[in-house]
Amino acid sequence: MKGGRVLFKAINRKQRRSFSSRITPPSSSSSQVLLQMDQSKERYCYNPTLHWNPQVEHYFTKAYGPEAFSRISKALTRPSCYSCIRVNTLKVTTESVIEKILEIQHEKKLQDALKNLHTDADKSVEVSERVNGSTAETSPVFKCQIPGLDYVVFVKGSGPHDIQYDYQQDRPPKEVIVSRKCAEAVLRGAQVYVPGILACSAHVEKGDKVAVSVGVEQPGRNGDWATGITHPQYIERDGLYIGQGITTLSRAGIFRDLSGLGVDMTDRVFRLASFNDVLKGDIFLQNLPSIITAHVLDPQQGERILDMCAAPGGKTTAIASLMKDKGEVIAVDRSHNKVLEIHNLAAELGLNSITAYKLDALKAVHKDKSNGTVTQCSSEDKVSQTSQQAESASDEEMKKGPYTSKAELRKQIRRMKNGPGKNQSTGGRVNKCEGFSPNSFDRVLLDAPCSALGLRPRLFAAEETIESLRRHGKYQQRMFDQAVQLVRPGGVIVYSTCTINPGENEALVRYALDTYKFLSLAPQHPKVGGPGLLGRYESSDGYFEEWLKPGEEDLVQRFDPSGPHDTIGFFIAKFNVGPKEA
């Protein structure tokens, strides 16, 4: 081994001598070209820095340590290098889904090959190798190996990749600047749609190849954050290029149209498969920790389960699937449209055990009820009733009063059918309820609204302040109080968040155990995440948080975005409910 190292050093020295003897000192013009090339590489790349509020950054540094928080912060700017799919085994098998995805991927490679050949003839050999599999992964789609999760499928992605943006001296590539939210979606495999485009280089025509960069919030003059776009070469986008694509509209068309595809991405920094409208009803794209959360709840057939903050319905449908659609799963959310999303997803997956209600989780307990029944409205009855009212109203309007056009009458009928709704309401009917009786559920899932600082990719985090993080924690405590009242003695509560904030995770567990002596932490299966944080935090203003005590850390699951499983940041705690005090 020592001889091998000596030989390796000798080869390196020989290569350096022979290389230096062949190279003549560069002229001033060639040095300038090399300098410009280096500058273009620094600019046209993906190397973002995640900005935090200074107080929040100090808090997280104290919680995790400087090195660990730096790794977490870096990992948050990148997507997971795989897509996680939950198979609807009530309809299809995992094996059949894997086969279908492989077929879809092969067809897409052929389409991309033709597209690349059309736009760049020099890549024909590379494209041919990709399609034929000589440079592809041998198993890009495979079944999860975690016990009990054999219905979960992973689809490999790749990245980060170096993109050749065809930068030339005094002739930078044409560029499209997109919003941060659009860029985060593109990094996960989406396309660039017109609403997400903020700016565009001059003289961009349909079919042009463009570099796609991100307009991320920057520090403003007044200490706030704003997206300042002044010129395509403005330095704020250095290291914020996410790929390139072909425009589907001219510059004028991009700013004239309100919707539709703006840029067809042909080369991405991260290559992840898109599953939009793919195998609908057979699969559901879901993060691994979210799937594990439903397993940790361990729902049993015939039980009555409550998902307190259920939208968009991923965990709700996962629970119903684990119960083989036999039992009662109640899903609530305070948003009209989100309740519709839950209803539509359950219908798409063919699940009949789910009932979705519009209800604020802070008002989930209705103590006047003697049993678990709720006051509700049937959407079908409502629609038929309002339809009849509208028709009779139209007849009366035709008979008396000032003349109203038929078009206006039709509008009135639609309004009565759809109801007044709220801003952005899609107009569909949803069930409402006044709450549920105490002790009326076997198990309760509280996937609480949170700061979402574990979601990735994330290109900006400074919107959260230390005050807002504390407010999140208080809000979650109030929701947990409701959950404790709703679950029966002998039942189970599972609490989860998608944030890295200990104040919303370990501090909530401490609050729960100290406030409700009949609660105890329960072991979790499967156990994939790491341990929780021990100790406490005290700030200079006197505010302090108590986290976990020794022996409790292994009873929770904390998913580190920089960890080996390459997941989002996530937290899960499971509580057994003992006999409640009188």
Side-chain angles (χ1 to χ4, degrees):
M1 187 67 183
K2 182 178 179 181
R5 288 197 295 269
V6 172
L7 178 61
F8 181 73
K9 291 178 181 178
I11 292 173
N12 279 344
R13 286 197 298 270
K14 183 177 180 181
Q15 287 177 339
R16 285 198 295 268
R17 286 197 300 269
S18 61
F19 180 77
S20 61
S21 65
R22 291 196 299 267
I23 300 299
T24 56
S27 62
S28 59
S29 60
S30 61
S31 297
Q32 185 177 4
V33 171
L34 289 172
L35 178 61
Q36 290 176 345
M37 288 177 63
D38 290 339
Q39 290 175 342
S40 69
K41 288 181 179 179
E42 291 178 3
R43 175 175 177 78
Y44 296 101
C45 65
Y46 184 75
N47 188 27
T49 299
L50 191 58
H51 293 292
W52 298 88
N53 175 281
Q55 290 179 306
V56 172
E57 186 170 6
H58 178 265
Y59 167 65
F60 285 150
T61 300
K62 286 287 187 181
Y64 293 101
E67 292 185 6
F69 179 61
S70 177
R71 289 195 303 269
I72 291 172
S73 190
K74 184 68 175 178
L76 288 174
T77 64
R78 303 182 175 194
S80 301
C81 277
Y82 62 90
S83 299
C84 184
I85 294 170
R86 175 165 58 84
V87 177
N88 184 8
T89 52
L90 299 179
K91 282 188 174 182
V92 294
T93 64
T94 304
E95 289 73 18
S96 66
V97 165
I98 291 175
E99 186 177 345
K100 290 177 183 178
I101 292 175
L102 288 171
E103 291 175 1
I104 292 169
Q105 285 194 332
H106 184 70
E107 290 178 5
K108 189 178 185 306
K109 284 182 180 180
L110 290 173
Q111 294 173 359
D112 291 344
L114 295 173
K115 188 186 301 181
N116 288 334
L117 285 171
H118 177 70
T119 57
D120 193 346
D122 294 337
K123 292 186 177 180
S124 58
V125 175
E126 177 188 350
V127 167
S128 175
E129 288 178 347
R130 284 182 185 171
V131 173
N132 291 325
S134 58
T135 61
E137 293 288 340
T138 55
S139 56
V141 184
F142 56 97
K143 190 184 299 185
C144 178
Q145 299 301 307
I146 299 172
L149 299 183
D150 55 349
Y151 61 93
V152 177
V153 172
F154 295 129
V155 182
K156 286 185 180 180
S158 61
H161 297 279
D162 291 329
I163 309 298
Q164 300 300 319
Y165 290 100
D166 300 328
Y167 178 87
Q168 298 178 18
Q169 185 179 2
D170 299 326
R171 189 182 174 186
K174 293 181 179 180
E175 185 174 333
V176 166
I177 306 170
V178 300
S179 68
R180 171 171 56 88
K181 291 294 185 182
C182 175
E184 290 169 354
V186 170
L187 289 168
R188 293 192 298 268
Q191 296 283 12
V192 175
Y193 292 90
V194 169
I197 298 177
L198 301 178
C200 182
S201 299
H203 311 299
V204 168
E205 300 296 335
K206 179 179 179 181
D208 283 353
K209 180 186 286 188
V210 292
V212 179
S213 64
V214 191
V216 177
E217 293 89 334
Q218 302 292 329
R221 295 179 179 178
N222 300 324
D224 55 354
W225 297 85
T227 304
I229 300 172
T230 56
H231 188 274
Q233 296 301 303
Y234 194 54
I235 194 171
E236 70 176 18
R237 287 184 305 286
D238 282 2
L240 286 172
Y241 285 76
I242 59 175
Q244 61 186 354
I246 305 298
T247 56
T248 61
L249 299 166
S250 65
R251 187 179 191 275
I254 287 173
F255 295 112
R256 181 179 61 246
D257 292 357
L258 299 178
S259 61
L261 185 65
V263 178
D264 182 11
M265 296 297 294
T266 57
D267 209 358
R268 302 167 180 266
V269 172
F270 290 92
R271 295 168 188 159
L272 294 168
S274 174
F275 290 94
N276 186 34
D277 292 331
V278 174
L279 302 179
K280 292 186 69 172
D282 293 345
I283 64 172
F284 183 76
L285 194 65
Q286 192 170 20
N287 288 303
L288 179 62
S290 297
I291 298 173
I292 291 174
T293 300
H295 259 272
V296 169
L297 185 65
D298 193 25
Q300 302 298 310
Q301 295 182 26
E303 288 186 330
R304 190 168 192 247
I305 312 292
L306 174 64
D307 189 351
M308 287 185 66
C309 304
K315 297 181 186 68
T316 306
T317 54
I319 291 168
S321 296
L322 289 172
M323 298 168 66
K324 306 298 183 186
D325 207 23
K326 297 177 181 178
E328 185 181 8
V329 182
I330 305 294
V332 301
D333 199 278
R334 67 180 184 178
S335 166
H336 180 103
N337 287 347
K338 289 183 178 180
V339 174
L340 285 176
E341 289 180 13
I342 298 168
H343 174 78
N344 293 337
L345 179 60
E348 179 183 305
L349 296 176
L351 298 169
N352 300 312
S353 59
I354 296 172
T355 306
Y357 295 104
K358 180 181 178 182
L359 175 67
D360 186 345
L362 292 176
K363 303 174 182 178
V365 179
H366 189 62
K367 296 184 178 180
D368 293 338
K369 299 291 179 181
S370 59
N371 52 40
T373 60
V374 295
T375 302
Q376 65 184 59
C377 298
S378 169
S379 59
E380 291 79 12
D381 293 344
K382 280 272 186 177
V383 171
S384 61
Q385 181 182 359
T386 53
S387 177
Q388 292 171 1
Q389 291 175 349
E391 290 172 0
S392 61
S394 65
D395 292 338
E396 292 177 3
E397 288 291 339
M398 293 293 290
K399 292 177 181 178
K400 63 181 181 178
Y403 172 75
T404 305
S405 68
K406 290 184 177 180
E408 183 62 30
L409 285 174
R410 287 194 295 269
K411 287 182 181 178
Q412 292 176 7
I413 292 172
R414 285 197 298 270
R415 290 192 194 103
M416 294 186 72
K417 284 183 178 179
N418 294 333
K422 289 191 174 182
N423 291 338
Q424 307 299 320
S425 173
T426 56
R429 278 300 187 186
V430 300
N431 296 328
K432 298 180 181 179
C433 73
E434 298 176 359
F436 307 96
S437 299
N439 306 321
S440 59
F441 291 94
D442 298 296
R443 299 171 196 265
V444 173
L445 170 62
L446 175 55
D447 185 52
C450 65
S451 57
L453 291 178
L455 296 184
R456 50 190 295 215
R458 171 179 288 275
L459 298 176
F460 184 72
E463 72 272 18
E464 289 289 351
T465 64
I466 201 72
E467 291 80 12
S468 68
L469 292 184
R470 292 173 185 176
R471 286 195 297 270
H472 285 305
K474 294 296 183 183
Y475 187 63
Q476 289 148 359
Q477 288 179 10
R478 293 170 60 197
M479 285 193 173
F480 193 85
D481 293 338
Q482 296 281 303
V484 171
Q485 296 180 64
L486 290 170
V487 69
R488 65 170 176 80
V492 170
I493 299 174
V494 169
Y495 173 84
S496 63
T497 70
C498 58
T499 184
I500 62 171
N501 177 24
E504 301 173 69
N505 296 332
E506 285 85 354
L508 186 283
V509 173
R510 181 82 280 122
Y511 165 81
L513 296 176
D514 290 349
T515 306
Y516 301 102
K517 300 302 181 182
F518 52 84
L519 294 182
S520 60
L521 284 174
Q524 301 184 29
H525 304 285
K527 185 73 162 58
V528 180
L533 299 179
L534 296 172
R536 69 196 304 267
Y537 169 80
E538 186 170 359
S539 63
S540 58
D541 62 359
Y543 176 85
F544 69 92
E545 292 174 352
E546 295 285 350
W547 297 339
L548 301 181
K549 295 179 180 179
E552 297 173 340
E553 69 274 20
D554 290 327
L555 292 173
V556 303
Q557 294 196 68
R558 170 178 279 279
F559 291 83
D560 183 348
S562 64
H565 299 294
D566 196 21
T567 66
I568 61 173
F570 207 85
F571 181 85
I572 309 173
K574 181 178 182 179
F575 301 89
N576 283 333
V577 182
K580 296 184 178 181
E581 299 173 358

